[in-house]
Amino acid sequence: MQTIASTLFIPSVAQAVDAESSALENGLIESRVLENVLSPPPYQMEGSDIYYPEYFNGVWNVFSTTTEVKAPCGIQLFGGNNTYARAENEVNTSLRYKCRFVPGTKGIIADREYNVIEIAKAAMGENSVLEVPLTTPNKVSVILAPNGANQVLKADLLTLARRSENINSAEFHCTEVVRQVIGPAKPSSNGALGGGARSSLLKEIETASLYTAVRDEKGNVIEIKCRQRSATFLQPSQQDPMAYKMWELSRGRPIDVRFYDVSYTKRI
């Protein structure tokens, strides 16, 4: 939920449920977060969506605090000194936004369009979201005009893998890997959107969340606490030799890892 981002929707990939991946034992997501595992995710697409416990249903006020930033492959692969300094300056800063979960066909699901809009508004400005032309469990497309930006951007987010684990009545863990492509939304002079692949930034981001429900003396959930880790992995580019070289240097490790403490309090 900390990133805005996809490429083309491929039904045969995005809708397939991987049986071997689903057989992985509970505890995998927790270990990736608490032990800061740097290898690529071992799970694949394990469901048509993330189905949350019933107590998630409703609208929540969210308070997300960045607690730590790591550069496992060094500052240069992270993006350079200035990028790393800006990221470090976000440590101990917080983002406030609203989040909504709604009933789906198989259980409670995240309202992805609502949540993407609310996070973008909080992170990029109240009027930063111009349009959300597509929202499915496996692809979200957003047209953005962030505060301070001199152009309109198109962000595509394609979910490549997901997994969830019901630990007990109070603990729920889930994770998704999203391919993020961001480029100019306006066509270039030759009519290609964003001027072609060279103008887009391609990343795959694993966001793993460890949720714990806090109940009152009557057993009602009054708060949900979350420990979250995002890990950004580079992808090889056939169009950009430098991007390909950076991918080789990363050796399958994430270049950008961030930790968050997130609190959800019920609004409606």
Side-chain angles (χ1 to χ4, degrees):
M1 300 301 300
Q2 300 294 329
T3 58
I4 302 285
S6 148
T7 57
L8 295 178
F9 176 63
I10 307 172
S12 61
V13 175
Q15 293 178 346
V17 177
D18 188 86
E20 182 177 347
S21 175
S22 299
L24 295 169
E25 293 184 1
N26 277 4
L28 182 152
I29 301 172
E30 182 177 46
S31 67
R32 291 188 67 78
V33 175
L34 300 186
E35 298 172 21
N36 193 28
V37 175
L38 300 180
S39 58
Y43 53 88
Q44 298 182 37
M45 186 66 81
E46 296 188 11
S48 57
D49 206 337
I50 297 289
Y51 295 99
Y52 294 82
E54 186 68 30
Y55 55 76
F56 274 80
N57 190 27
V59 180
W60 301 79
N61 289 323
V62 184
F63 188 73
S64 176
T65 301
T66 304
T67 60
E68 194 173 5
V69 174
K70 292 179 177 291
C73 300
I75 291 176
Q76 289 310 305
L77 284 185
F78 188 95
N81 290 329
N82 290 339
T83 300
Y84 184 71
R86 285 196 300 270
E88 281 206 312
N89 286 338
E90 294 179 2
V91 173
N92 295 325
T93 66
S94 301
L95 199 65
R96 297 175 183 267
Y97 55 93
K98 291 181 292 184
C99 183
R100 183 163 70 190
F101 297 86
V102 297
T105 56
K106 297 181 181 179
I108 302 301
I109 59 174
D111 186 335
R112 292 176 186 266
E113 180 174 351
Y114 179 94
N115 296 343
V116 164
I117 290 173
E118 290 298 318
I119 292 175
K121 285 164 56 179
M124 303 179 191
E126 183 67 26
N127 300 312
S128 59
V129 180
L130 302 183
E131 185 184 359
V132 184
L134 178 66
T135 307
T136 74
N138 298 319
K139 184 176 182 182
V140 177
S141 295
V142 192
I143 307 299
L144 298 164
N147 284 351
N150 58 5
Q151 62 181 331
V152 176
L153 303 174
K154 183 172 186 284
D156 289 315
L157 304 93
L158 174 68
T159 302
L160 303 178
R162 65 167 57 98
R163 176 181 174 82
S164 62
E165 299 175 1
N166 285 290
I167 306 301
N168 53 49
S169 62
E171 294 181 79
F172 176 76
H173 301 166
C174 64
T175 181
E176 284 190 327
V177 178
V178 171
R179 177 173 294 165
Q180 172 178 293
V181 178
I182 299 178
K186 294 182 179 180
S188 66
S189 58
N190 63 9
L193 182 65
R198 285 185 177 86
S199 63
S200 293
L201 301 174
L202 177 62
K203 302 175 181 179
E204 289 184 5
I205 302 170
E206 178 192 32
T207 302
S209 303
L210 311 179
Y211 294 101
T212 301
V214 179
R215 300 179 185 272
D216 61 18
E217 63 278 2
K218 297 180 179 179
N220 300 313
V221 175
I222 56 173
E223 184 182 8
I224 301 173
K225 292 185 177 295
C226 176
R227 180 63 169 166
Q228 190 174 78
R229 184 192 82 150
S230 71
T232 301
F233 294 84
L234 289 179
Q235 299 304 308
S237 172
Q238 300 302 321
Q239 291 81 25
D240 188 338
M242 179 59 70
Y244 189 88
K245 181 63 175 178
M246 292 173 66
W247 169 74
E248 286 186 319
L249 291 172
S250 70
R251 293 181 292 167
R253 298 168 297 166
I255 60 164
D256 179 340
V257 175
R258 307 187 192 205
F259 291 88
Y260 306 89
D261 283 337
V262 190
S263 173
Y264 297 74
T265 55
K266 199 65 172 288
R267 182 181 178 93
I268 301 175

